[in-house]
Amino acid sequence: MIARAAVPTAPTEPGPAGLELPARRRLFGWSREMAAQRRELERGWTAALQAGGAISPPPSAAPAQYLADGGGFRVPAALEDQLSAAAREFFDDRVVREGWVYLRGFGYYAADAQMYLPGRAPAPGRRFAAIQRRWPRYAAFARPLAEPAAREPAGWYAWLAWLAFLESAVQDVCTARWSAAVLGHGGAAGVLDEVLERLGSLLAEAAWNRWQPDSCPAGPCDPATWAERAAALTADARIPEVLCELARALQGPEGAADAVRAVREGDVLWQIAAVAQTRWPALAAAHPGAPVLLVSEAFGAMAAGPVLAGMLPAGQRGRVRLALARGSVHEEEMARVSGTAWRTGRLEADGQVVVHLDDSVFTGRTHAGLRRALTGVPAAVYLVPLTLDVGTPFNHPEEITALGRSVGEHLAGLEAAVRAVGGALPHAPSLWARRKTPAPAHGAGGGPADQLRKEAFARVAGGSDRLLALLWDRYAPEVRDA
């Protein structure tokens, strides 16, 4: 099951340097290849779901249509009553848009300052407090949502609700983990890393291992234990204590806005599964038995490592050590995270195969920063992005040439790095810097302040950050009224 995404087209506002024909052809070729790979995954995964018997097939529409653009799951609005009472209660802020009910409400992203109009974002402490208040709900709903999904076969809507529940818990732990890193709170970081690893493993087991055919063995799967494990994990007394400590540290108007954030482009489960199926076998074959340091890029793919580790074939998880890094360059340039926010320290990598998981790649500077943070002599270092940015070279080729190389040289080097594991490109283009869309029309009326808010909304809705644009469109009333 994968989301269908359109092949990117040339931007409406090309960069001042323009792109020569060979570079344009290369980028369009990448887009076509990624689209073909997605179609192939969709065919194979649909067949496996239908043949496996662990999950009841959806009663209507193709399985891929239940995946929401930008991440998460959705169900047809006409069939919303197929969700259990517990699911409807847990997803109480779900939204309905164009005939679909999305199992992620505004609260899923509300900790992020980017989800508010300029000057309207609550202080970091207030945004974090919402996560602190929400956490007890996970323990209350773990059993009611896990038990129906553990049946054989699992009902389609019960399964989707269980996955969406786990994604929500992972999201909140990631948000807290980012704050722990910004604050330099090592004790909280240690607890949250352990929780994230266990939640990621449970999500991988429920979403991927449950229905994989024998020809593609996945990690262990024991649905009978899901309810007990989820209830015990979410009720862990250390978690409220950690959240309370972080909340106290985040109080006060002097707290930096970027000390609390939630929106991550890599929060797309199927893209991690694509890496498990297409990249990991090639890496394992190239380095049989070698220890692997699986590094997740915190800004865009914090949960990717823990979830991917849970998807690995039985017997291979023990060779993996997880680590977290923040080397992302672009978000600082876009003023989304300040230079004072945390950066990666040293990572011991001697004799290990380093796999750097990032949500997207454009210039490769983030990966270069990760390489500089490694100590010792790694056995190999690979970049494995979940998506490939094919929009920025069209919109801003000057960002490439500013690095002292031609666009053609850059694209050749980037392609070699991305294809180093398995020979394939990622299975999706990045939502970052995609083609801009016409700004939404607004009626006349309203005072100056109201007009400024309309213009601010239109800038995001029509901008090149298509992830933020689609989220603002999906949660437009909440964004405007917050």
Side-chain angles (χ1 to χ4, degrees), residues 240-440:
E241 293 175 0
V242 162
L243 295 178
C244 185
E245 291 174 7
L246 295 175
R248 282 198 299 266
L250 289 164
Q251 292 303 318
E254 70 282 355
D258 55 30
V260 180
R261 66 174 310 275
V263 174
R264 278 176 288 274
E265 185 165 341
D267 186 23
V268 181
L269 191 59
W270 77 260
Q271 293 173 357
I272 305 174
V275 171
Q277 178 169 315
T278 66
R279 299 302 188 92
W280 180 264
L283 188 144
H287 303 278
V292 176
L293 178 63
L294 202 56
V295 184
S296 300
E297 186 61 36
F299 184 78
M302 184 182 287
V307 174
L308 176 59
M311 293 178 175
L312 299 183
Q316 295 197 31
R317 174 62 183 88
R319 65 189 291 199
V320 172
R321 180 168 66 94
L322 299 176
L324 190 64
R326 185 211 151 199
S328 184
V329 174
H330 214 60
E331 89 278 5
E332 186 175 334
E333 295 174 341
M334 297 297 291
R336 296 201 173 175
V337 174
S338 69
T340 60
W342 72 282
R343 284 284 182 186
T344 307
R346 311 305 290 173
L347 289 175
E348 173 57 45
D350 193 51
Q352 299 171 75
V353 177
V354 180
V355 179
H356 184 199
L357 296 169
D358 203 352
D359 64 319
S360 180
V361 59
F362 165 48
T363 64
R365 285 182 292 169
T366 296
H367 184 59
L370 184 277
R371 282 179 172 270
R372 290 192 295 271
L374 301 176
T375 64
V377 181
V381 183
Y382 297 109
L383 171 64
V384 180
L386 303 181
T387 68
L388 181 60
D389 183 348
V390 294
T392 304
F394 280 114
N395 287 291
H396 300 290
E398 71 278 5
E399 294 189 23
I400 296 172
T401 55
L403 300 176
R405 58 195 174 201
S406 71
V407 173
E409 290 171 337
H410 163 75
L411 295 181
L414 181 62
E415 182 169 11
V418 170
R419 291 190 188 275
V421 178
L425 297 176
H427 284 70
S430 171
L431 287 171
W432 173 251
R434 295 283 292 280
R435 180 174 180 171
K436 298 180 181 181
T437 62

Side-chain angles (χ1 to χ4, degrees), residues 436-460:
K436 298 180 181 181
T437 62
H442 294 285
D450 186 55
Q451 186 61 32
L452 287 174
R453 286 194 292 271
K454 290 179 180 178
E455 292 173 357
F457 190 95
R459 281 195 298 273
V460 171

Side-chain angles (χ1 to χ4, degrees), residues 73-215:
F73 301 94
R74 62 184 191 172
V75 302
L79 298 175
E80 184 179 11
D81 60 355
Q82 297 298 308
L83 293 170
S84 68
R88 292 195 297 273
E89 184 177 355
F90 180 79
F91 301 106
D92 56 359
D93 66 342
R94 62 193 182 277
V95 300
V96 181
R97 189 63 189 263
E98 297 178 349
W100 292 92
V101 177
Y102 290 84
L103 299 184
R104 286 184 182 178
F106 180 75
Y108 189 94
Y109 301 99
D112 204 299
Q114 295 296 319
M115 290 299 294
Y116 299 85
L117 289 165
R120 301 286 291 274
R126 286 183 57 197
R127 285 184 276 123
F128 190 88
I131 294 172
Q132 188 181 12
R133 291 192 299 270
R134 183 162 59 221
W135 187 259
R137 300 186 80 232
Y138 293 113
F141 283 90
R143 290 185 185 278
L145 294 179
E147 289 171 350
R151 294 171 187 154
E152 190 79 21
W156 182 255
Y157 295 103
W159 184 51
L160 295 187
W162 172 230
L163 300 185
F165 168 85
L166 292 172
E167 284 188 325
S168 183
V170 166
Q171 168 81 339
D172 283 349
V173 172
C174 284
T175 297
R177 180 61 177 89
W178 174 272
S179 295
V182 172
L183 297 169
H185 198 312
V191 171
L192 293 168
D193 281 341
E194 178 187 334
V195 173
L196 181 56
E197 181 174 349
R198 292 169 63 190
L199 273 175
S201 179
L202 189 55
L203 176 57
E205 182 178 324
W208 178 249
N209 304 358
R210 176 77 182 274
W211 57 272
Q212 285 305 290
D214 293 338
S215 59

